[in-house]
Amino acid sequence: MTIRLYELCSADEKTVFSPHCWKVRMALAHKGLAFESVPVPFTKVASVEDGEGRRVPVLRDGDRLIEDSHNIALYLEEKYPHAPSLFDGEGGKALTRFVIDWSQTQVHPVINRLVLMQIHNSLAPEDKHYFRRSREKRFNMTLEEFSASRGASATELHNALEPLESMLSSQPFIGGSSPLFADYVVFGAIQWCRVFKGQSLMKKDSQAASWFERVAALHGGAGNKLQFAA
Amino acid sequence: MTIRLYELCSADEKTVFSPHCWKVRMALAHKGLAFESVPVPFTKVASVEDGEGRRVPVLRDGDRLIEDSHNIALYLEEKYPHAPSLFDGEGGKALTRFVIDWSQTQVHPVINRLVLMQIHNSLAPEDKHYFRRSREKRFNMTLEEFSASRGASATELHNALEPLESMLSSQPFIGGSSPLFADYVVFGAIQWCRVFKGQSLMKKDSQAASWFERVAALHGGAGNKLQFAA
């Protein structure tokens, strides 16, 4: 039975943009696993697979249903041990958690501010409404006010990526000589930016820019099979 | 033959403060290896073991001489494979590089600014002179000007440690359920601060504060065997 990946989409279903879904896309490609993408708009996420309060990505593999990109990666590693490893041992598994939290606390907030209005504008009317209401409640101001007061610049993104840039002087991937899930964690964040900006916004001629291109080209160019937001 | 660890010291030789030397102290304790500490002031570092332009930490183990804390950890892992692992596999080894670069680019600059004048004040006269000259050349201003204009606060340290704080909601050590070299990398930076400030400056009741105490207490309290700077 084909693996199904439920992924967040814009009004145009071909535009899948969630960083967490992209982490899983890359993990599946790394494991050499084919999958069927099921695009889901914001207002349909909670009820995926007859659920309540679900969050994407959701992966259906036979009788197993897994939520959360990290849980999915751990599941794939356990279920498909003979395919290339996503962690390369227990230490790698543990330290991936640090990379996730670094990306989530340092990189995501910058990209979120960079693409916020564009996410909104790419959605279907009912999803626009949901997105606006949920975010405005969180920010305690309108999307427009938030964007005007807290908008981010590409320079902030470059600054946030300083540890990656520094590390790339020592090795070509976070995973060392070849990529691991930790690479896809950071790749997913930047891909989110790329879908909305039409480009990665990485610093020209930086090591991080080369790394991003290297990761996108892996597994038959899995990271380049994207549709930019309209 | 006893392992010898050459470590940076203040005018009082018992005060060893280099973050990189502390990383190695903890790695040796983790491996259960006894060592003789050889305290070295700034002006004697370059010529350690009849060398030229050396940098501490320097480890002497029989006929092997190794520089750089990360190289030393990799050496110990290879030379003493039956002692507890510092990396727990190749993935852990690779991802440690990311933690090192994160610590070096995000945590070290803050602590450096926090303790700069105190490092200077703790040194013997000839080392004070060397330290001032080399740093003032790098900063292109006096130590006092640099400290006044670029001094850091404990809050900046707490902000820099946000990825660690976030990660500690998922697991007790960067290494997962037990510590790895990656934990000592970050511990070493904060120990550097603690030697000069008399306390870690970690945020009260934070997960990071508990983690620091947990790491310091490991291996018979190896991280608590320190002498604060006068």
Side-chain angles (χ1 to χ4, degrees):
Chain A
M1 211 169 100
T2 312
I3 291 174
R4 251 178 300 156
L5 174 61
Y6 295 90
E7 308 183 276
L8 201 57
C9 69
S10 294
D12 180 343
E13 292 200 333
K14 290 195 209 74
T15 300
V16 292
F17 60 84
S18 155
H20 309 293
C21 297
W22 273 102
K23 293 177 197 174
V24 176
R25 282 195 161 211
M26 297 303 287
L28 287 163
H30 184 100
K31 285 283 187 189
L33 296 165
F35 67 97
E36 177 198 349
S37 167
V38 186
V40 188
F42 270 110
T43 48
K44 298 284 191 318
V45 165
S47 58
V48 155
E49 288 259 0
D50 301 323
E52 275 182 30
R54 289 203 199 284
R55 304 177 67 175
V56 284
V58 173
L59 189 93
R60 162 64 71 185
D61 187 15
D63 60 354
R64 290 294 306 275
L65 194 71
I66 308 106
E67 276 184 37
D68 179 86
S69 59
H70 188 208
N71 284 339
I72 292 170
L74 291 167
Y75 164 79
L76 295 175
E77 186 76 354
E78 198 187 342
K79 180 77 188 287
Y80 304 98
H82 301 301
S85 175
L86 288 162
F87 299 103
D88 209 353
E90 290 304 310
K93 216 176 266 182
L95 268 64
T96 295
R97 188 71 250 180
F98 181 82
V99 177
I100 291 172
D101 284 284
W102 168 75
S103 180
Q104 202 71 31
T105 62
Q106 309 304 306
V107 184
H108 278 233
V110 177
I111 297 178
N112 189 38
R113 291 186 278 124
L114 277 166
V115 300
L116 187 76
M117 285 313 302
Q118 283 163 292
I119 295 177
H120 173 268
N121 297 341
S122 78
L123 302 175
E126 65 272 26
D127 298 303
K128 271 196 173 93
H129 180 70
Y130 165 85
F131 185 80
R132 179 179 287 279
R133 203 184 42 194
S134 60
R135 269 55 181 178
E136 293 189 346
K137 192 174 167 188
R138 191 191 300 165
F139 304 146
N140 203 26
M141 59 179 95
T142 67
L143 291 183
E144 288 77 6
E145 282 166 353
F146 184 86
S147 274
S149 68
R150 305 277 299 283
S153 66
T155 304
E156 280 177 71
L157 179 60
H158 305 161
N159 291 344
L161 293 173
E162 193 185 4
L164 176 69
E165 183 69 21
S166 175
M167 186 219 73
L168 289 165
S169 311
S170 308
Q171 54 194 35
F173 295 101
I174 304 177
S177 55
S178 57
L180 291 175
F181 185 63
D183 286 276
Y184 307 139
V185 165
V186 188
F187 176 84
I190 297 161
Q191 183 83 330
W192 176 32
C193 180
R194 185 187 182 201
V195 167
F196 288 106
K197 297 294 182 190
Q199 51 178 300
S200 70
L201 297 190
M202 304 296 267
K203 191 175 185 175
K204 199 164 169 280
D205 299 328
S206 66
Q207 304 249 27
S210 307
W211 164 86
F212 183 80
E213 284 180 24
R214 266 200 305 284
V215 177
L218 291 166
H219 320 307
N224 287 324
K225 288 169 189 159
L226 80 167
Q227 174 160 311
F228 296 112
Chain B
M1 211 169 99
T2 312
I3 291 173
R4 252 178 298 155
L5 173 62
Y6 295 90
E7 308 182 277
L8 201 58
C9 69
S10 293
D12 181 342
E13 293 200 334
K14 290 194 209 73
T15 299
V16 293
F17 61 84
S18 155
H20 309 292
C21 297
W22 272 104
K23 293 177 199 175
V24 176
R25 281 195 162 210
M26 297 303 287
L28 287 163
H30 184 100
K31 285 283 187 191
L33 297 165
F35 67 97
E36 176 198 350
S37 166
V38 187
V40 188
F42 270 109
T43 48
K44 297 286 191 317
V45 165
S47 59
V48 155
E49 288 259 0
D50 301 323
E52 275 182 30
R54 288 203 200 284
R55 304 178 68 175
V56 283
V58 174
L59 189 93
R60 164 62 74 185
D61 187 16
D63 60 355
R64 291 293 306 273
L65 195 70
I66 309 106
E67 276 184 37
D68 178 86
S69 58
H70 189 208
N71 284 340
I72 291 170
L74 291 167
Y75 164 79
L76 294 175
E77 186 75 354
E78 197 188 344
K79 180 76 189 285
Y80 304 98
H82 303 300
S85 174
L86 287 163
F87 300 102
D88 209 353
E90 290 305 309
K93 214 175 266 181
L95 268 65
T96 295
R97 188 69 250 180
F98 181 83
V99 178
I100 292 171
D101 284 283
W102 168 75
S103 180
Q104 203 71 31
T105 61
Q106 308 304 307
V107 184
H108 278 233
V110 177
I111 298 178
N112 189 37
R113 290 186 279 128
L114 276 166
V115 301
L116 187 77
M117 286 312 304
Q118 283 162 291
I119 296 177
H120 173 268
N121 296 341
S122 80
L123 303 174
E126 65 272 27
D127 298 302
K128 271 196 173 89
H129 181 69
Y130 165 85
F131 184 80
R132 178 179 287 279
R133 203 184 40 193
S134 60
R135 269 57 180 178
E136 292 188 345
K137 193 173 167 190
R138 191 190 301 166
F139 304 145
N140 203 26
M141 59 180 94
T142 68
L143 292 183
E144 289 76 6
E145 283 166 350
F146 183 86
S147 274
S149 67
R150 305 277 299 283
S153 66
T155 304
E156 280 176 73
L157 180 59
H158 305 160
N159 291 344
L161 293 172
E162 194 184 4
L164 177 69
E165 183 69 20
S166 176
M167 186 219 73
L168 290 166
S169 311
S170 308
Q171 55 193 34
F173 295 100
I174 304 177
S177 55
S178 57
L180 292 174
F181 185 62
D183 286 277
Y184 308 139
V185 165
V186 187
F187 176 84
I190 297 162
Q191 184 84 328
W192 176 32
C193 180
R194 185 186 182 203
V195 167
F196 288 106
K197 297 295 182 189
Q199 50 178 301
S200 70
L201 297 192
M202 304 296 264
K203 191 173 186 176
K204 200 164 168 277
D205 300 326
S206 66
Q207 304 249 29
S210 307
W211 164 86
F212 183 81
E213 283 180 24
R214 268 199 305 283
V215 177
L218 291 166
H219 321 307
N224 287 324
K225 289 168 188 158
L226 80 168
Q227 174 160 310
F228 296 113

